[in-house]
Amino acid sequence: MHRLTPLVLLVLACEELPRTYSSAGPAQLLFADRFDGAELGPSWKSTGPGARLEGGELVVEGLRNHPLWLTLPLPDNVRVEFDARAATDEGDIKIELAGDGKSFARSASYTATGYVIIFGGWNNSTSAIVRRDEHGGDRKTTQALKVEAGKRYHFAITRRDGAIQWELDGQEALVYDDPEPLTGPAQRHFAFGGWEAKVAFDNLEVFAL
């Protein structure tokens, strides 16, 4: 048996190890971003202030529903994985999938163009997958999931033939089955979102299924 030296153990403890929770089957990597550059660059379209790179992470704060859109068009069957952590107990980790790649809130109210996944929304009281209107009745919700401030979570969101599965640290969080899936040229984009809460994202990977 080979024993690890104290120095090797220290390096492993400090290294950010990749996660392998998802098991969505064969997939082709389309895009990845570790957010370790000086600026976001042309792969991202900002629709307002509040998104910045800081310490090797994408930090959003005070977005007020001005999503940060990935400019790369995505296929209908797709898996998106990333790490996220909230700075406070307010939670409110939010992303949008299958949106139009350009829309943002023009008033206090915002109706998304795609599906919105929310972890610890409404002051950390509810988590949800919603179709366009997060305040509407067409959504799947749970009150069992709560965000712990400072804890890093791994998201895996899989969309296949109208069904959206959200996994959190390898466990199924919610599933949304849409009988009329949002498809077509206006439904090809992914975005990081948010309202006021400070949230950090990292290790984004997008796969075609």
Side-chain angles (χ1 to χ4, degrees):
M1 177 183 293
H2 296 284
R3 295 184 180 275
L4 298 177
T5 67
L7 178 59
V8 172
L9 288 173
L10 177 61
V11 170
L12 290 176
C14 296
E15 184 181 0
E16 185 175 294
L17 299 176
R19 307 233 180 170
T20 56
Y21 293 133
S22 184
S23 57
Q28 175 190 358
L29 180 65
L30 296 178
F31 179 83
D33 201 333
R34 303 296 180 234
F35 303 112
D36 52 5
E39 56 185 25
L40 284 165
S43 295
W44 297 97
K45 176 182 174 62
S46 179
T47 60
R52 64 186 185 274
L53 296 184
E54 185 178 287
E57 297 177 308
L58 168 66
V59 177
V60 302
E61 184 177 14
L63 278 185
R64 301 185 70 85
N65 286 331
H66 284 69
L68 179 69
W69 291 103
L70 180 64
T71 58
L72 176 70
L74 303 180
D76 291 333
N77 290 346
V78 66
R79 184 173 84 241
V80 179
E81 300 200 33
F82 56 88
D83 295 327
R85 59 183 180 84
T88 70
D89 289 329
E90 185 178 352
D92 204 21
I93 300 172
K94 180 186 296 186
I95 65 96
E96 186 170 342
L97 182 66
D100 67 2
K102 59 183 181 182
S103 289
F104 58 90
R106 300 180 184 273
S107 66
S109 177
Y110 172 61
T111 299
T113 55
Y115 304 96
V116 182
I117 289 86
I118 305 168
F119 180 26
W122 297 275
N123 200 27
N124 211 3
S125 65
T126 304
S127 298
I129 301 177
V130 305
R131 189 184 192 273
R132 292 184 167 161
D133 184 3
E134 64 184 72
H135 299 286
D138 189 8
R139 61 184 189 173
K140 298 292 184 182
T141 65
T142 178
Q143 284 74 47
L145 298 174
K146 305 294 183 182
V147 176
E148 295 181 29
K151 179 179 178 179
R152 191 178 82 160
Y153 297 90
H154 186 73
F155 284 62
I157 301 163
T158 304
R159 183 192 184 194
R160 194 191 297 273
D161 300 329
I164 298 174
Q165 181 186 42
W166 168 25
E167 294 173 272
L168 192 65
D169 286 346
Q171 301 297 316
E172 185 176 280
L174 283 171
V175 174
Y176 186 99
D177 289 306
D178 190 352
E180 298 181 1
L182 299 175
T183 60
Q187 314 292 164
R188 297 285 191 218
H189 292 274
F190 167 83
F192 291 109
W195 182 243
E196 292 288 356
K198 183 178 180 180
V199 177
F201 298 98
D202 202 0
N203 300 321
L204 173 69
E205 293 183 330
V206 182
F207 299 88
L209 302 182

